[in-house]
């Protein structure tokens, strides 16, 4: 039977069991939307900006492990996806993004709303292609889904010219595709596993370093077993947080420029660094020549290109994390590392992440996140980017029933709230919280309308410090407190030079509470420590409506510890001197 | 250590594949000396010969990154392999005197080049040699004829020797 390209597109989505499509229409996608009209098995989520929908698809994909699917029009619709594509691809999130395109016979003519989106996304996607023949459409869509979710997952962009959408052709959607240049390797090389085990068995100070790869391959259970079986302490990157439960006795903390004192020290002193699914980027290594310099490095990764790129690896193992961990679980390992574990515990006690932050009101990021830890058992938490993200990655507890989604690679402000919408759509029974800054929340605030119309009871926790806090902290520490363009309260009436926030500062704009209310959401402002819990409980009880909780936090609160740029992990500033406590001593 | 390397690449003969490969080099700041591409006996496959200069670690990374591209079917490292390698170069020399022409003819005979076009004061040479020999030839011609030399080179193609 002959059907239009648009109808084959819908058929393909159905065959791929796509239940939610994140979409925004336009002239060059109108045929596709027409074919989607009334299709019951595919819920189309109309966002308010294409960046919102692609982050939502990303949140859906990260939280469910399924492919997130987007559909937008050509030109501006496509270019509005770019940040979201880069964000997802950087963190190995499987997305398939369909973009409308001008008809093939107009490509290259500077037609209205023509952009070479395939060219634009070439370096930020796993694969991108324009469909040029109607007969290739089915195979290309099949290929897109296969490439997006297999191997190291990533983003595939399929550009669909309008005439391809309209043209009649075969209704066949293939069950399989064969790509001769793409054969992701997931099997484990047993000889390499043996070498790794020999190395472990001879070690006195081994440590596991776990990255996003463990979460992506959903190897959390197996990894916890492996940690318990070997007794080796576990350090994670931000993306690897939750690889084993954070309240597990073997969990040390995150490493990196805002990592914990114990984790960074352990990396420095370990003799075997057993890393899984990490990429050793500059955020975690600090000064690279000093990184784990006493250690033999074992590295398991599905991506050969991640191995020995930044750090020279002694024992490389190219494999899916879950398969490799499974292979290790089958082997016998016996270690005597009690002294080493003692040492790590004493570092943990010396400078725990958890120590009181400064605040007159007591409404500290730490207190807020602790309350979230206590009140929510079955929950997905998204972060935005900035101090709010760093505090969350430090204080949040993650267990088997708690998940954290964060833009680790690209660090995209505006990610958290739309990602939370996607997570809620994919997990309607799970509580979903978005922890964000006052700056980042405003980058995709228009999606409040989407959350309202789709009745998504998301809890949006804005940590309002009135600053682009992360940048402000750097200015405080490394730029002589020159607060250049980081104050969100600043107005024309302010002095040209100002680095002293006070009661006299202009009022914050927008008023997040009235803004929430204008959308039809609930808004709660929290300024006293005793109001944290009731606010969260009220939000938790909402069934249909999103709740915005604006926490007014100390304006110049900092993230500690910090490894200054160019330093080795050992040279971190532990920080956290309690300004408030000092006042009380006076 | 920075070394000269050769890669032979089999890729899908698709629109945009050349951009993908060259974009990978520019995007990741890999050095690239030359890149040639053409279809093979199988019309769906193109073959590229890439010459570049890099240290060992970067070269390993380049091969992995190429392998990772969906469009790349096979990456062959020619750096340590015995290969036949040739580059096509045209050289035009203008404003020649009779004496110049005689000298050019000597060079052509000595180096086995071909005079493919000429008039009384202009010679056009076709040089199919290794890249190094072409480099040497350029040095010689520029020394003898200075600014009257116009050069176009095509980048190298390479294939394994028959064992
Ligand atoms: C899209 C984007 N623009 C700029 C930045 C640089 N940046 C990183 S953190 C930050 C400040 C974020 O401020 P806010 O959202 O208020 O969070 P806070 O750090 O105060 O918690 C900025 C500007 C970024 N990461 N992403
Ligand atoms: Mg802020």
């Amino acid at each position: 039977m002959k059907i239009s390209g648009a109808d084959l597109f819908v058929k393909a989505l159905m065959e791929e069991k796509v239940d939610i499509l994140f979409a925004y229409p336009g002239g060059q996608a109108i045929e596709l939307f027409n074919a989607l009209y009334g299709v019951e098995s595919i819920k189309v989520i109309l966002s308010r900006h294409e960046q919102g929908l692609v982050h939502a698809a990303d949140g859906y994909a990260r939280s469910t492990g399924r492919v997130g699917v987007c559909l937008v029009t050509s030109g501006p619709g496509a270019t509005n996806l770019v940040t979201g594509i880069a964000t997802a691809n950087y963190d190995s999130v499987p997305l398939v993004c369909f973009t409308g395109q001008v008809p093939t016979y107009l490509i290259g003519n500077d037609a209205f709303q023509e952009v070479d989106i395939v060219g634009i996304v070439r370096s930020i996607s796993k694969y991108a292609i324009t469909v040029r023949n109607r007969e290739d459409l089915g195979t290309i869509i099949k290929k897109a889904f296969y490439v997006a979710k297999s191997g190291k997952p990533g983003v595939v962009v399929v550009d669909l010219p309008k005439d391809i959408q309209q043209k009649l052709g075969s209704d066949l959607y293939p069950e399989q595709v064969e790509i001769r240049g793409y054969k992701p390797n997931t099997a484990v090389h047993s000889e390499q596993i043996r070498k790794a085990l020999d190395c472990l068995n001879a070690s006195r100070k081994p440590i596991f370093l776990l990255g996003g790869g463990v979460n992506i391959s959903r190897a959390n259970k197996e990894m916890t077993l492996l940690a318990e079986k070997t007794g080796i302490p576990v350090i994670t990157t931000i993306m690897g947080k939750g690889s084993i439960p954070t309240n597990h006795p073997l969990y040390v903390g995150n490493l990196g420029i805002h990592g914990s004192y114990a984790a960074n020290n352990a990396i420095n002193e370990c003799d075997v660094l057993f890393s899984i699914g990490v990429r050793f980027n500059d955020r975690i290594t600090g000064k690279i020549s000093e990184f784990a310099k006493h250690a033999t490095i074992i590295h398991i990764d599905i991506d050969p290109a991640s191995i020995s790129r930044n750090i020279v690896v002694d024992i490389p193992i190219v494999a899916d994390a879950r398969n490799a961990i499974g292979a290790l679980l089958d082997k016998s390992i016996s270690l005597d590392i009690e002294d080493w574990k003692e040492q790590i515990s004493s570092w943990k006690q010396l400078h725990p992440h958890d120590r009181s932050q400064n605040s007159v009101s007591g409404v500290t990021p730490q207190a807020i996140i602790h309350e979230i830890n206590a009140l929510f058992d079955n929950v997905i938490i998204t972060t935005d980017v900035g101090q709010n993200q760093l505090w969350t990655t430090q204080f949040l507890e993650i267990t088997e029933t708690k998940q954290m989604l964060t833009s680790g690679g690209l660090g995209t402000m505006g990610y958290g709230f739309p990602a939370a919408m996607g997570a809620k759509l994919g997990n309607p029974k799970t509580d979903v919280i978005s922890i964000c800054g006052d700056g980042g929340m405003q980058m995709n605030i228009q999606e409040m309308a989407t959350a309202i119309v789709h009745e998504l009871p998301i809890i949006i926790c804005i940590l309002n410090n009135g600053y682009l806090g992360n940048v402000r902290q750097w200015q405080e520490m490394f730029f002589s407190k020159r607060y250049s363009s980081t104050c969100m309260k600043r107005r024309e009436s302010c002095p040209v030079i100002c680095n002293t926030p006070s009661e006299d500062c202009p009022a914050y704009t927008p008023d997040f509470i009235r803004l929430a209310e204008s959308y039809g959401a609930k808004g709660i402002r929290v300024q006293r420590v005793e109001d944290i819990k009731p606010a969260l409980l009220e939000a938790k009880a909402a069934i249909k409506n999103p709740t915005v909780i604006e926490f007014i936090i100390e304006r110049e609160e900092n993230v500690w510890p910090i490894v200054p740029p160019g330093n080795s992990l050992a040279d971190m500033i532990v920080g956290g001197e309690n300004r408030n406590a000092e006042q009380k001593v006076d | 250590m920075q070394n000269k390397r050769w890669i032979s690449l089999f890729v899908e003969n698709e629109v945009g594949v050349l951009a993908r490969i060259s974009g990978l080099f520019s995007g990741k700041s890999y050095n690239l000396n030359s890149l040639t591409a053409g279809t093979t006996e199988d019309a769906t496959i193109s073959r590229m010969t890439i010459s570049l200069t890099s240290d060992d670690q970067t070269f390993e990374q380049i091969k992995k990154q190429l392998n990772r591209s969906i469009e790349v079917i096979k990456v062959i490292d020619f750096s340590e392999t015995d290969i036949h390698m040739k580059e096509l170069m045209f050289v035009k020399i203008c404003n020649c005197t009779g004496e110049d022409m005689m000298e050019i003819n000597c060079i052509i005979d000595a180096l086995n080049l071909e005079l493919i076009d000429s008039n009384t004061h202009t010679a056009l040479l076709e040089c199919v040699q290794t890249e190094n020999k072409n480099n040497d030839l350029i040095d010689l011609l520029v020394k003898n004829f200075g600014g009257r030399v116009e050069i176009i080179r095509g980048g190298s193609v390479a294939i394994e020797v028959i064992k």
Side-chain angles (χ1 to χ4, degrees), chain A residues 146-165:
Chain A
Y146 171 60
V147 169
K149 69 186 170 207
S150 58
K152 186 184 179 75
V155 179
V156 178
V157 174
V158 181
D159 193 32
L160 298 173
K162 189 166 188 165
D163 53 332
I164 304 284
Q165 301 171 27

Side-chain angles (χ1 to χ4, degrees), chain A residues 122 126 180 303-305 307, chain B residues 12 19-20 44 61 64 68:
Chain A
R122 197 164 275 136
K126 188 170 175 185
R180 54 189 164 185
D303 177 18
I307 295 179
Chain B
E12 295 290 346
R20 182 115 200 163
T44 66
Q61 196 41 231
K64 287 174 176 175
R68 207 177 184 232

Side-chain angles (χ1 to χ4, degrees), chain A residues 300-517:
Chain A
I300 299 174
D301 208 288
I302 197 158
D303 177 18
S306 288
I307 295 179
S308 285
R309 175 169 47 194
N310 303 332
I311 290 277
V312 179
V313 170
D314 301 290
I315 306 177
I317 304 176
V318 178
D320 174 67
R322 192 162 168 182
N323 294 346
I325 293 166
L328 286 160
L329 274 174
D330 291 341
K331 301 287 184 330
S332 73
I333 304 171
S334 69
L335 293 167
D336 173 18
I337 53 171
E338 287 313 308
D339 291 352
W340 171 235
K341 285 158 87 172
E342 286 280 304
Q343 168 74 78
I344 292 175
S345 298
S346 69
W347 285 328
K348 253 170 122 171
Q349 273 156 25
L350 186 61
H351 294 296
H353 255 327
D354 273 349
R355 79 205 106 150
S356 47
Q357 294 178 315
N358 313 299
S359 165
V360 184
S361 69
V363 183
T364 62
Q366 177 179 324
I368 296 159
I369 295 166
H370 275 219
E371 204 61 64
I372 290 173
N373 289 341
L375 295 179
F376 294 85
D377 286 327
N378 198 351
V379 62
I380 298 166
I381 287 119
T382 71
T383 81
D384 210 74
V385 167
Q387 292 182 312
N388 60 86
Q389 173 186 38
L390 301 167
W391 287 316
T392 307
T393 60
Q394 292 183 336
F395 303 132
L396 188 70
E397 184 181 275
I398 306 182
T399 61
E400 290 86 350
T401 58
K402 299 184 185 189
Q403 209 187 345
M404 180 183 77
L405 316 181
T406 192
S407 165
L410 200 66
T412 306
M413 281 174 71
Y415 168 79
F417 167 48
M421 295 195 317
K424 187 71 194 178
L425 284 159
N427 305 268
K429 297 208 174 78
T430 309
D431 289 328
V432 176
I433 302 176
S434 151
I435 298 179
C436 53
D438 52 302
M441 182 60 199
Q442 293 182 64
M443 283 206 176
N444 274 313
I445 200 157
Q446 75 287 345
E447 300 308 329
M448 285 295 295
T450 318
I452 288 283
V453 299
H454 289 289
E455 302 180 354
L456 304 175
I458 301 163
I459 305 169
I460 302 150
C461 297
I462 303 176
L463 307 188
N464 190 350
N465 50 13
Y467 277 112
L468 300 173
N470 203 7
V471 183
R472 183 210 55 74
Q473 177 174 351
W474 275 59
Q475 290 170 336
E476 178 184 338
M477 295 184 67
F478 311 121
F479 292 87
S480 319
K481 217 171 184 234
R482 289 155 64 94
Y483 288 176
S484 179
S485 295
T486 42
C487 181
M488 298 297 271
K489 287 193 165 185
R490 187 175 173 84
R491 294 195 178 206
E492 284 299 323
S493 55
C494 291
V496 176
I497 289 183
C498 171
N499 59 4
T500 46
S502 77
E503 294 298 307
D504 304 330
C505 290
Y508 197 92
T509 192
D511 179 332
F512 283 113
I513 306 308
R514 284 171 53 206
L515 186 91
E517 285 165 358

